[in-house]
Amino acid sequence: MSTILNQVSKQYSEKEDILKNVSAEIETGEFFVIVGPSGCGKSTLLRMIAGLTSISDGEISIDGQVVNDLQPKDRKLTMVFQSYALFPFLNVWDNVAFGLKARNIDQAEVHQRVNDALDMVNLSELKERKPRELSGGQRQRVALARAVASDAKLCLMDEPLSNLDAQLRIKMRQEIYQLQRKLGITLIYVTHDQVEAMTMADHIMVLNDHEVQQIGTPTEIYQQPANEFVANFFGTPLINLLPAQRVDDRTLNVEGDFEVKTEQKISENEVNVGIRPGELHVEASDELNANATVKSSEFLGDETIVYATMNSEHEVRVLIPGKAVFAPYEKVKITASGNVFLFDANHKRIPFESEELVNA
Amino acid sequence: MLKSTTPTMVGSEAKAKKKRHSFSLNAKDKYFALLFLGPSLLLLSVFVFYPMFRTLYISMFLTNTLGKTTVFNGFGNYATLLSSPEYIASMGSTLFYVLAVTALTVSIGLLLANLASQKLAGIGIFRTLYSITMGVSVSVAAIFWLFIFNPSTGFFTIISNALHLPVINWLTDPKMAMWAVIITTVWMHLGFTFLILLGSISSVPTTLYEAASVEGASERRQFFKITIPMISPTLFFVSTITLIDSFKSFGLIDLITKGGPTNSTNMLVYRLYKDAFYSGNYGQASSEAIILTIIIAFFTFLQFKFLEKRVNY
């Protein structure tokens, strides 16, 4: 059940691109997450795979078959909607059975599959209830049971957790992940939440401005972001992106505030340097040696985020373990260790040397 | 969607209900309640309650032509009516008319609303056309349809002639006159029914249809298994309204057939009107009014009993 997107595009009018040349190969049985800010076209892409939105250009094939002109019901897939799309007039059991009955499946098998699916999501006790008598999490489970019962090998999910509160979201995140592993289905999952993407995905597609920014494993996305957008999108607190000037082959001067030794060779004179908040260090300092002023700090339990303004007026975020002892307006000295990203004038990341060797 | 009824919620809801029952007004609240209710109570008394009880009262009497009660007749008026074959026939034709109008109005309205709910270019034109009868007055509609039914120059006659079919005497054949009135009434009611049903269909969340189409339901199945159940409260509403409305049909009948030919379209309301204002038989007309009220109440009750069960979700 591999799904292949080949140069898929969508325009609603001549001028406006919704998606530009999206290509990807989604392997059988993998958890594939499409992530991006709102308006980037990620839901449109999912709806195009489902057949709910037409494809302007390019090709989508599922299991070796081009599905561009197939009706949604003939694409052998199932979908979980953000609003769950439960039928309010049917009880839980009938909601799950709806699709099976529509496909004229033998009654005994419908019973078997619906009961199994409800068992799997722990809803057997509530099968007589109407959707309005369920909590948000339970409704979510009904939608999942519907997908499970359909027996489709490809499942699409459109922001399924965004209507739940934070704690429930973490719980359902795990349940969806376990369900996907247990059933061995291919899951294409759309979200705007980078944490969901990082924690669940085998592969992540990052979309922005109607284009694919990067496709990779969570590790690749985090450790080798393709550009400033991807670096900025993943990781909390946000990465520090600062303009810097070349001093020598391995040294950058960050706006006169501090110098960074880099692991990779620097060839451009002007670059943007991306430093994760955890790679910055902060220490108390006297007026003379200080290069920054503390704005505020947020204590999170195990760690503290320190917000500071560099002497060059750039804002930075520093993540330090334990509790910080810095007060607002305190003068501090901020330094960086070597693990940084370099971005060129087009905001693309300059590859590491080892990467170049691999790619060569 | 509005309330989630977990067991604890059920408990608290029950408590709230109990509280509402034991809710009592103090003197000051009562004073304000009366003050606010006063104006509408006054209007209702003058225009609704008084005529209602007055009708009930007159229905027990014989009257002179001015409507003054003369002799107490008890249930005599009712007995006369119910033993009159003419009245029973009128009741029968009214029932036929009402059921035909309700069934046709709701099903045609549903069909048109379903068509007009499609997202197509220029669909607004159709929506306007289908709902336009809402803005047509009874007299205009009657004249318009009289032209169409006209046996020598009418639209139907022209078509029949062109196809070499026998010409139908819409207004002189007793059977066809009934259908002429039914068609006209359905046409009049259609605009309102269409508009209400269209609004209801448009408010069904599109994701329900999308989910159903992914799950393999055909368009036909989506209509019967999603649209109909989702709009069932509205269907119930329009069928009740149409039923009550067509029981009360008067203007169209007066303008198109005047109850004829041979009383075939002499519905209960029209007959009531003639008994009261042509024959001056106010006592009997009042008892007809009471019987009509009871019949409408009975049908409305039946509708609530049998249809409402199906509409709750």
Side-chain angles (χ1 to χ4, degrees):
Chain A
M1 279 311 262
S2 68
T3 305
I4 296 166
L5 312 178
N6 187 9
Q7 301 283 313
V8 174
S9 299
K10 178 74 193 172
Q11 289 107 27
Y12 281 117
S13 64
E14 289 285 314
K15 284 176 240 154
E16 208 187 349
D17 282 314
I18 303 298
L19 283 170
K20 277 187 276 191
N21 301 327
V22 174
S23 294
E25 190 171 342
I26 299 151
E27 297 287 338
T28 306
E30 82 166 315
F31 201 128
F32 190 87
V33 174
I34 303 171
V35 68
S38 57
C40 70
K42 56 191 189 298
S43 284
T44 308
L45 181 58
L46 195 74
R47 294 170 59 86
M48 286 160 81
I49 299 173
L52 298 171
T53 300
S54 64
I55 301 163
S56 305
D57 215 347
E59 231 175 47
I60 294 179
S61 55
I62 299 174
D63 219 10
Q65 186 189 9
V66 177
V67 297
N68 283 31
D69 298 323
L70 282 189
Q71 290 288 311
K73 67 183 165 79
D74 300 323
R75 296 192 179 194
K76 288 182 251 163
L77 48 79
T78 182
M79 186 161 175
V80 175
F81 292 82
Q82 183 175 0
S83 61
Y84 315 139
L86 302 182
F87 303 110
F89 48 87
L90 295 179
N91 66 22
V92 168
W93 199 93
D94 287 321
N95 258 293
V96 178
F98 185 91
L100 304 184
K101 286 182 180 168
R103 290 193 194 277
N104 288 325
I105 288 167
D106 162 69
Q107 213 172 2
E109 196 187 337
V110 171
H111 272 263
Q112 183 70 40
R113 271 158 70 171
V114 172
N115 290 337
D116 287 352
L118 287 175
D119 264 349
M120 199 168 279
V121 297
N122 296 322
L123 272 184
S124 302
E125 311 265 296
L126 302 177
K127 63 184 176 190
E128 300 292 334
R129 293 257 189 109
K130 292 277 174 68
R132 74 185 143 87
E133 299 165 329
L134 301 175
S135 68
Q138 287 165 340
R139 284 184 207 153
Q140 167 74 76
R141 287 211 186 94
V142 180
L144 291 180
R146 195 154 68 182
V148 171
S150 80
D151 232 8
K153 291 287 165 251
L154 174 60
C155 180
L156 312 179
M157 294 193 184
D158 187 5
E159 308 231 13
L161 303 183
S162 56
N163 286 350
L164 303 176
D165 64 58
Q167 284 195 337
L168 203 52
R169 211 177 298 164
I170 295 171
K171 186 163 178 282
M172 290 309 295
R173 201 161 78 196
Q174 287 160 354
E175 285 191 25
I176 290 177
Y177 181 79
Q178 283 160 8
L179 209 59
Q180 186 265 342
R181 284 291 185 259
K182 197 159 135 201
L183 298 170
I185 53 174
T186 311
L187 183 52
I188 305 179
Y189 185 106
V190 160
T191 181
H192 63 269
D193 183 345
Q194 47 117 346
V195 180
E196 277 176 29
M198 292 294 280
T199 50
M200 298 199 283
D202 293 316
H203 283 99
I204 299 175
M205 172 194 278
V206 188
L207 277 178
N208 187 41
D209 267 350
H210 320 295
E211 280 182 299
V212 175
Q213 304 294 317
Q214 188 173 4
I215 298 176
T217 63
T219 329
E220 283 165 356
I221 297 274
Y222 191 77
Q223 295 181 346
Q224 301 166 34
N227 53 36
E228 285 182 17
F229 175 81
V230 177
N232 208 28
F233 197 79
F234 289 89
T236 29
L238 292 183
I239 195 168
N240 298 296
L241 286 171
L242 303 164
Q245 296 77 38
R246 179 177 183 273
V247 178
D248 57 44
D249 271 3
R250 303 267 171 188
T251 315
L252 279 175
N253 186 333
V254 183
E255 291 281 89
D257 291 324
F258 57 85
E259 287 195 343
V260 194
K261 293 275 177 204
T262 66
E263 283 167 12
Q264 65 189 112
K265 228 178 184 171
I266 305 155
S267 40
E268 283 92 342
N269 280 329
E270 295 282 331
V271 292
N272 274 341
V273 60
I275 312 170
R276 299 263 181 217
E279 309 289 344
L280 283 178
H281 309 285
V282 57
E283 55 190 283
S285 164
D286 53 48
E287 283 285 332
L288 206 62
N289 293 316
N291 62 1
T293 312
V294 172
K295 261 173 71 188
S296 64
S297 56
E298 291 174 352
F299 175 56
L300 302 177
D302 290 340
E303 49 203 14
T304 305
I305 308 168
V306 178
Y307 297 89
T309 311
M310 305 299 300
N311 285 351
S312 61
E313 305 275 290
H314 288 290
E315 307 272 333
V316 294
R317 294 159 290 274
V318 187
L319 188 67
I320 55 174
K323 185 165 167 53
V325 286
F326 304 106
Y329 304 111
E330 193 175 336
K331 294 285 177 192
V332 288
K333 186 169 173 59
I334 289 175
T335 51
S337 59
N339 208 349
V340 299
F341 305 124
L342 302 182
F343 298 98
D344 64 20
N346 296 322
H347 309 293
K348 290 222 182 316
R349 186 173 57 84
I350 302 163
F352 302 134
E353 279 144 49
S354 56
E355 257 179 278
E356 277 168 15
L357 288 177
V358 171
N359 291 340
Chain B
M1 288 283 177
L2 283 174
K3 48 180 178 182
S4 64
T5 334
T6 55
T8 52
M9 285 292 282
V10 172
S12 69
E13 260 179 358
K15 235 182 247 168
K17 230 173 211 175
K18 225 179 207 172
K19 227 179 194 174
R20 225 174 288 145
H21 278 292
S22 64
F23 186 71
S24 67
L25 294 167
N26 61 35
K28 197 177 160 202
D29 285 340
K30 271 183 193 158
Y31 169 74
F32 273 109
L34 268 181
L35 191 68
F36 282 113
L37 287 173
S40 45
L41 275 179
L42 187 73
L43 285 174
L44 280 175
S45 314
V46 173
F47 293 109
V48 178
F49 300 138
Y50 171 73
M52 215 163 77
F53 288 110
R54 182 73 187 166
T55 307
L56 191 62
Y57 174 79
I58 297 178
S59 76
M60 308 274 193
F61 285 85
L62 298 180
T63 62
N64 65 18
T65 46
L66 295 173
K68 287 265 182 286
T69 54
T70 51
V71 182
F72 180 73
N73 196 15
F75 288 100
N77 286 335
Y78 294 94
T80 316
L81 277 177
L82 294 176
S83 59
S84 144
E86 214 182 290
Y87 186 74
I88 300 296
S90 171
M91 219 184 244
S93 53
T94 308
L95 276 186
F96 178 75
Y97 166 80
V98 164
L99 294 179
V101 167
T102 308
L104 286 175
T105 308
V106 173
S107 47
I108 297 174
L110 182 62
L111 182 80
L112 294 183
N114 194 46
L115 286 177
S117 68
Q118 315 290 328
K119 291 187 181 74
L120 296 172
I123 198 73
I125 298 168
F126 288 96
R127 288 181 187 166
T128 312
L129 281 180
Y130 293 157
S131 52
I132 214 159
T133 61
M134 250 180 84
V136 177
S137 79
V138 174
S139 45
V140 174
I143 292 168
F144 168 70
W145 279 95
L146 278 174
F147 275 124
I148 291 181
F149 289 135
N150 188 302
S152 49
T153 55
F155 178 68
F156 284 140
T157 308
I158 294 171
I159 290 182
S160 299
N161 285 337
L163 298 173
H164 301 291
L165 292 171
V167 171
I168 299 169
N169 290 313
W170 285 98
L171 302 173
T172 47
D173 177 340
K175 255 193 199 141
M176 294 323 290
M178 174 58 102
W179 282 107
V181 178
I182 290 174
I183 290 170
T184 316
T185 317
V186 168
W187 185 82
M188 280 294 292
H189 282 318
L190 212 50
F192 173 77
T193 309
F194 164 79
L195 211 60
I196 299 282
L197 287 175
L198 178 66
S200 183
I201 290 179
S202 315
S203 69
V204 177
T206 42
T207 48
L208 292 187
Y209 295 110
E210 289 174 352
S213 67
V214 171
E215 298 291 329
S218 61
E219 297 242 323
R220 199 184 131 83
R221 197 180 174 85
Q222 288 178 31
F223 177 73
F224 285 107
K225 297 286 178 181
I226 301 174
T227 309
I228 297 280
M230 284 302 284
I231 66 166
S232 57
T234 314
L235 274 178
F236 173 63
F237 168 74
V238 292
S239 59
T240 308
I241 292 282
T242 312
L243 186 108
I244 294 175
D245 245 23
S246 44
F247 259 118
K248 300 193 298 186
S249 284
F250 172 78
L252 274 179
I253 293 165
D254 188 42
L255 291 164
I256 292 185
T257 63
K258 296 209 180 300
T262 61
N263 282 336
S264 59
T265 58
N266 197 11
M267 316 293 180
L268 293 177
V269 171
Y270 194 67
R271 191 194 150 96
L272 185 165
Y273 159 78
K274 281 206 295 196
D275 278 349
F277 301 108
Y278 276 65
S279 323
N281 199 346
Y282 291 99
Q284 187 172 322
S286 295
S287 51
E288 285 177 44
I290 298 294
I291 292 177
L292 183 63
T293 309
I294 292 169
I295 293 175
I296 295 179
F298 174 71
F299 272 93
T300 313
F301 168 78
L302 277 189
Q303 262 184 319
F304 268 87
K305 194 157 172 60
F306 291 107
L307 288 179
E308 212 195 10
K309 261 190 209 153
R310 300 166 161 268
V311 302
N312 273 329
Y313 58 79

